[in-house]
Amino acid sequence: YSRVDPEVKNHGELRVGYVYSKELIDACNDLPRIAGRAGVVHSLIETLGLLADVITISPRKGKEEEIQRFHSTDFIEFLHRINSVSDEEKVNTEEAELYGLSYDCPVQEGIYDCAALVAGATLTAAEALCEGICDVAINWCGGWHHAQRSSASGFCYINDIVLGILKLRETFSRIVYVDLDLHHGDGVEDAFSTTPHVLTLSLHKYSPGFFPGTGAASDVGLRRGKFYSVNIPLMDGIRDAQYYAVFKRVMSSVCTVYQPQAIVCQCGADGLAGDPMGAFNLTEVSYSDCLHHILDLKLPTLVLGGGGYSYSNTARCWAHLTAVAVGRKLPQEVPDHRYYMDYSPDFEMNIQAGNRPDLNKDEELMDICSRVAGDSELLS
Ligand SMILES: CN(c1ccc(C(=O)NO)cc1)S(=O)(=O)c1ccc(-c2ccccn2)s1
Ligand SMILES: [Zn+2]
């Protein structure tokens, strides 16, 4: 296919860093709840020839003292201790519960090593942006937005995003964090809810009993960070056009006033139609439109993964986002490769929009956008 296709908005001139190593992929392949996903994603990106258009960057492992720039010492020491436990029965369950190790964050051998490698990959990506090595830095193994200072949560053990933002803060004073995952980016919002130096914007499903339960429109941040936390609560069934219209309106009003110097975007793919979470009806089109909008700001941009439990759809989506960043057009068909059979029955690169009923009302969404636009005026 052509290097840059006229109909694809040309981002061909961006220098795109892609952080990966065999060690990182192998470690992420062992993560509970997404076992094997990292390999499926990377293999499709590689088979599409996209590695020829990126600067591949080998990640380092996150050092303990830099992980403790966010996480508490006792929590990290606990993760270190269970790292070498092969028989989880030996772990004191009371202490495990205290640190959020439970059904959705099981005790697992080597979990610290894996989480520290993922954190190191996001730190490596952030450093590449700070040093001007690239304009966009991608780590599809990152994006673990629920992890809190002293506890694991929602499949997340170490919050690589918070660590990446702290690294970017050494160079940039105003950073916008965008969370496109189906779930509220609570761990990142909590970490920066009282500071105006990081504005967090999360679009997510918000419904009684739906994890994590936070992220109401009224959640706007605290003290000096008031109005620097922006939440867009959504209902089941939202489709591409509506989702992107809301994103564009909110992101435009926030960035016009806030004037960010860098962007971090978590692209959790569990909002896609066909994801086992069974909530939104999105396809790669709205995720791509959101990333196009972000890249058009021409700011250093850190792009991360997150949720996504249909591995083939997650791989399709993140391959499209990688192609958007490098300005490449993708083929209609999935090329033959090791995981080709995962893409049956259609073997197409595009994701079919679902037809779950859309519970979102246009007037309600526009109300939320108007209120956010109003709040944005209050950003100093
Ligand atoms: C722990 N939970 C999370 C937390 C975070 C996420 C996430 O993707 N965050 O971005 C997903 C589920 S949870 O309680 O809602 C669930 C656990 C397992 C779930 C599941 C499993 C299979 C099919 C549908 N849902 S939901
Ligand atoms: Zn999610």
Side-chain angles (χ1 to χ4, degrees):
Y1 11 87
S2 64
R3 169 78 183 79
V4 175
D5 188 288
E7 67 188 17
V8 174
K9 278 187 213 157
N10 174 15
H11 283 289
E13 75 280 6
L14 287 179
R15 295 170 302 152
V16 179
Y18 178 85
V19 178
Y20 96 100
S21 65
K22 186 181 175 324
E23 190 193 9
L24 176 65
I25 302 288
D26 290 347
C28 294
N29 272 343
D30 294 339
L31 273 172
R33 304 287 177 277
I34 55 156
R37 190 186 75 178
V40 172
V41 170
H42 177 72
S43 176
L44 181 62
I45 288 170
E46 187 173 42
T47 307
L48 286 164
L50 290 167
L51 295 188
D53 299 292
V54 298
I55 304 158
T56 55
I57 303 174
S58 186
R60 62 180 174 78
K61 190 174 177 182
K63 301 184 205 71
E64 197 154 329
E65 72 269 9
E66 53 189 354
I67 292 173
Q68 291 185 26
R69 286 188 59 184
F70 172 59
H71 290 289
S72 63
T73 308
D74 56 300
F75 174 54
I76 296 305
E77 276 171 1
F78 174 74
L79 282 188
H80 235 155
R81 249 183 297 128
I82 65 168
N83 189 57
S84 46
V85 167
S86 54
D87 169 4
E88 28 188 282
E89 272 63 56
K90 286 209 196 83
V91 177
N92 166 344
T93 45
E94 222 151 86
E95 195 183 20
E97 286 285 316
L98 172 76
Y99 290 121
L101 277 289
S102 62
Y103 162 74
D104 49 319
C105 291
V107 169
Q108 179 163 310
E109 189 179 11
I111 195 64
Y112 177 81
D113 291 338
C114 172
L117 203 48
V118 167
T122 297
L123 284 165
T124 302
E127 283 159 356
L129 292 173
C130 293
E131 290 156 21
I133 292 170
C134 50
D135 307 304
V136 182
I138 298 173
N139 173 24
W140 294 128
C141 290
W144 304 105
H145 58 169
H146 295 306
Q148 300 285 346
R149 178 172 179 276
S150 293
S151 86
S153 172
F155 308 163
C156 309
Y157 294 82
I158 290 177
N159 200 312
D160 64 294
I161 309 170
V162 170
L163 297 174
I165 291 172
L166 289 173
K167 175 59 68 180
L168 291 170
R169 281 282 292 113
E170 295 173 4
T171 304
F172 306 105
S173 170
R174 291 186 312 283
I175 296 167
V176 161
Y177 168 68
V178 176
D179 191 303
L180 302 179
D181 194 284
L182 176 67
H183 300 86
H184 176 229
D186 57 341
V188 185
E189 180 184 285
D190 292 347
F192 301 110
S193 62
T194 61
T195 172
H197 290 286
V198 179
L199 187 149
T200 56
L201 165 60
S202 179
L203 288 75
H204 46 269
K205 173 175 174 176
Y206 183 74
S207 166
F210 186 73
F211 188 95
T214 49
S218 55
D219 168 2
V220 294
L222 307 161
R223 301 203 287 275
R224 292 163 47 84
K226 189 167 174 143
F227 303 123
Y228 292 88
S229 297
V230 182
N231 284 293
I232 308 295
L234 302 169
M235 310 285 279
D236 274 345
I238 195 163
R239 310 176 73 79
D240 285 333
Q242 212 179 25
Y243 185 90
Y244 178 57
V246 168
F247 170 81
K248 186 176 177 185
R249 185 126 175 247
V250 172
M251 187 68 174
S252 305
S253 56
V254 157
C255 291
T256 304
V257 180
Y258 186 63
Q259 296 287 308
Q261 298 161 315
I263 310 281
V264 176
C265 187
Q266 195 268 20
C267 307
D270 42 7
L272 291 170
D275 191 277
M277 290 294 150
F280 290 173
N281 276 323
L282 302 180
T283 75
E284 76 284 353
V285 171
S286 49
Y287 283 84
S288 300
D289 287 348
C290 291
L291 185 59
H292 260 304
H293 181 92
I294 288 169
L295 296 180
D296 282 345
L297 297 171
K298 296 268 180 273
L299 294 171
T301 303
L302 176 57
V303 176
L304 301 170
Y309 305 98
S310 157
Y311 294 3
S312 51
N313 275 358
T314 301
R316 286 180 169 105
C317 183
W318 293 349
H320 274 96
L321 295 185
T322 307
V324 163
V326 299
R328 281 286 289 269
K329 190 173 180 307
L330 292 181
Q332 280 295 324
E333 294 284 305
V334 174
D336 190 12
H337 69 299
R338 179 175 174 187
Y339 301 102
Y340 182 71
M341 290 315 294
D342 288 12
Y343 298 85
S344 74
D346 51 287
F347 300 103
E348 289 204 351
M349 276 303 295
N350 295 333
I351 294 161
Q352 303 307 318
N355 47 22
R356 296 169 52 83
D358 181 1
L359 306 183
N360 295 280
K361 307 255 182 304
D362 273 339
E363 56 276 4
E364 278 171 17
L365 292 178
M366 287 306 122
D367 275 354
I368 287 179
C369 294
S370 314
R371 186 188 50 68
V372 166
D375 287 351
S376 301
E377 296 308 315
L378 303 169
L379 299 176
S380 53

